[in-house]
């Protein structure tokens, strides 16, 4: 057990002082009693009462004060808490390859549908944030419990050129840093000093916030996923990558809404494969990189080749991260027990005064 406000425990020094004052008062009464010549006569005139009963109410009151003193120090214990007390950052790939029709009607539409169902399935206490990325990454919706805002943002996703998986992880770290001050913002200048991408990273305690990263391709520019993963691991942030799509993508067809006219300017509808160096290879998930990200951060990699598998992964995800170990304040329990002891002390004192036998 630890205390968030240990200085408040100084109030506990009053307990032994009160005990000493009580013992001194008892001794003083004994000394006063010897002044009477016939002590037996005085005892016979008083109602009989068991000696130990006189001390029980006071002992209960002192115990109640001690518990209140501990509660003032805000005691905390390490416990497993549900993910609903935390946040999930959804990082969704909106690169042009998400228009591939190997997943019906296309990858982006299937991903949007799965993400909507995932959001609807969460309770009102779960904060969810949305990061979108193609040629660059941005926080579309900061972590919130307002599911309507999230669903509106998901409905409005549009495609763009390029895939910046590493930048998406860094943006997700920044989103977590806004709600958890124990997490430092991402360092966009490079990797965490003293670490090597892909090597085991010594981690301290993990934070309850997690990143769920959905992508259908490979990083094409900027910081690499492995470098970003090192930064996430150094901050205790776990990343759960999901590789989406088949290994044999077909023609890419975006709807007018998916092309949009917003921040992510997409490619023309109906363009085919073979764009860029390497032909259509950029349309296939870089599983090795995503598995490394999961290994470095302490998360888990998932593969989804179609809409049904993607929905299943998102539905099962809470089973993997539904509880996390963290400090839980238990001052309310101490205060409640103190109140019960005080009521018990008052009740016993009143009962034994009325019925001393």
């Amino acid at each position: 057990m630890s205390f968030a406000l240990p200085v408040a425990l100084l109030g506990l020094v009053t307990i032994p002082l009160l005990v000493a004052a009580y013992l001194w008062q008892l001794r003083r009464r004994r000394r006063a009693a010897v002044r009477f010549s016939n002590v037996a006569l005085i005892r016979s005139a008083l109602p009989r009462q068991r000696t130990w009963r006189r001390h029980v109410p006071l002992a209960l009151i002192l115990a109640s004060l001690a518990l209140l003193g501990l509660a003032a120090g805000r005691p905390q214990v390490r416990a497993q808490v549900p993910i609903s007390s935390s946040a999930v950052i959804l990082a969704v790939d909106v690169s042009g390859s998400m228009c591939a029709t190997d997943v019906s009607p296309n990858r982006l539409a299937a991903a949007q549908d799965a993400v909507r169902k995932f959001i609807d399935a969460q309770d009102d206490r779960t904060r969810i944030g949305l990061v979108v990325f193609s040629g660059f990454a941005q926080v579309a919706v900061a972590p919130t419990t307002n599911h309507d805002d999230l669903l509106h943002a998901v409905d409005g996703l549009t495609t763009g050129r390029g895939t910046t998986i590493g930048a998406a992880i860094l943006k997700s770290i920044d989103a977590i840093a806004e709600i958890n001050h124990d997490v430092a913002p991402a360092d966009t200048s490079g990797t965490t000093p003293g670490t090597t991408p892909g090597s085991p990273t010594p981690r301290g305690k993990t934070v309850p916030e997690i990143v769920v990263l959905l992508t259908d391709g490979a990083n094409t520019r900027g910081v690499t996923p492995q470098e970003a993963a090192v930064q996430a691991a150094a901050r205790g942030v776990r990343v759960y990558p999901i590789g989406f799509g088949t290994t044999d993508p077909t023609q890419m067809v975006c709807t007018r809404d998916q092309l949009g006219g917003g921040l992510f300017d997409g490619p023309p509808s109906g363009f085919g494969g073979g764009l860029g160096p390497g032909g259509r290879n950029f349309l296939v998930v870089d599983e090795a990189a995503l598995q490394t990200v999961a290994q470095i951060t302490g998360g888990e990699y998932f593969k989804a080749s179609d809409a049904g598998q993607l929905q299943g992964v998102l539905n099962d995800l809470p089973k993997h991260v539904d509880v996390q170990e963290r400090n839980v304040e238990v001052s309310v329990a101490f205060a409640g027990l103190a109140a019960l002891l005080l009521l018990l002390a008052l009740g016993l004192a009143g009962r034994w005064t009325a019925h001393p036998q």
Side-chain angles (χ1 to χ4, degrees):
M1 180 183 295
S2 59
F3 293 89
L5 194 62
V7 68
L9 299 178
L10 293 175
L12 293 175
V13 300
T14 61
I15 304 300
L17 294 178
L18 291 175
V19 173
Y22 179 66
L23 295 176
W24 176 81
Q25 184 67 18
L26 290 178
R27 181 175 297 181
R28 183 182 177 188
R29 287 181 179 179
R30 292 193 188 99
R31 289 178 179 176
V34 299
R35 298 177 184 177
F36 296 92
S37 57
N38 195 340
V39 177
L41 180 61
I42 296 175
R43 287 179 177 173
S44 63
L46 293 174
R48 288 188 176 182
Q49 184 179 21
R50 293 184 177 89
T51 304
W52 60 270
R53 283 187 174 184
R54 294 182 303 166
H55 309 303
V56 171
L58 180 62
L60 291 174
I61 291 173
L62 291 176
S64 176
L65 292 176
L67 289 172
L68 287 176
L70 291 173
R74 297 177 59 186
Q76 299 177 337
V77 297
R78 298 294 291 178
Q80 297 289 330
V81 297
I83 195 65
S84 58
S85 66
S86 175
V88 177
I89 307 299
L90 295 173
V92 180
D93 186 346
V94 291
S95 60
S97 59
M98 288 292 283
C99 290
T101 56
D102 56 337
V103 179
S104 179
N106 63 23
R107 292 177 181 177
L108 182 57
Q112 286 174 297
D113 183 61
V115 169
R116 288 190 202 99
K117 292 178 180 178
F118 173 80
I119 293 172
D120 286 334
Q122 305 310 304
D123 59 45
D124 294 336
R125 297 174 298 168
T126 303
R127 288 182 291 184
I128 303 175
L130 179 64
V131 171
V132 292
F133 63 98
S134 58
F136 64 95
Q138 71 170 21
V139 179
V141 180
T144 180
T145 56
N146 189 330
H147 292 181
D148 290 337
D149 287 349
L150 287 161
L151 293 173
H152 180 73
V154 171
D155 290 340
L157 292 181
T158 56
T159 56
R161 297 181 185 276
T163 306
T164 53
I165 298 174
I169 295 174
L170 298 185
K171 278 295 182 182
S172 299
I173 293 173
D174 288 341
I176 292 174
E178 289 293 326
I179 61 172
N180 186 342
H181 298 306
D182 291 334
V183 177
D187 178 10
T188 56
S189 63
T191 61
T192 302
T195 59
T196 302
S199 63
T201 304
R203 294 188 299 270
K205 64 177 182 180
T206 58
V207 297
E209 296 81 14
I210 65 168
V211 177
V212 179
L213 187 142
L214 171 63
T215 182
D216 71 334
N219 197 72
T220 59
R221 67 184 71 171
V223 62
T224 68
Q226 296 90 332
E227 290 171 338
V230 170
Q231 291 203 40
R235 291 159 175 79
V237 175
R238 287 153 301 144
V239 181
Y240 291 78
I242 301 175
F244 186 42
T246 68
T247 57
D248 187 25
T250 56
Q251 186 181 23
M252 293 184 288
V253 180
C254 276
T255 66
R256 184 176 298 275
D257 290 339
Q258 289 172 340
L259 289 175
L263 293 175
F264 293 93
D265 297 323
S269 176
F271 71 94
L275 297 178
R280 298 192 306 177
N281 289 336
F282 74 99
L283 297 175
V284 178
V285 174
D286 186 356
E287 290 195 78
L290 297 183
Q291 289 170 349
T292 301
V293 167
Q295 180 182 10
I296 292 174
T297 63
E300 185 175 350
Y301 170 71
F302 301 94
K303 173 65 177 174
S305 299
D306 55 42
Q309 288 182 1
L310 177 59
Q311 191 64 64
V313 168
L314 290 175
N315 290 341
D316 290 342
L317 186 62
K319 298 177 183 178
H320 296 265
V321 294
D322 55 348
V323 292
Q324 305 299 333
E325 187 176 84
R326 65 182 304 184
N327 286 330
V328 177
E329 188 169 324
V330 292
S331 54
V332 173
F334 279 80
L337 183 56
L340 289 176
L341 292 180
L342 182 59
L343 291 175
L344 181 60
L346 295 175
L348 291 177
R351 177 183 176 86
W352 288 341
T353 299
H355 306 283
Q357 297 295 332

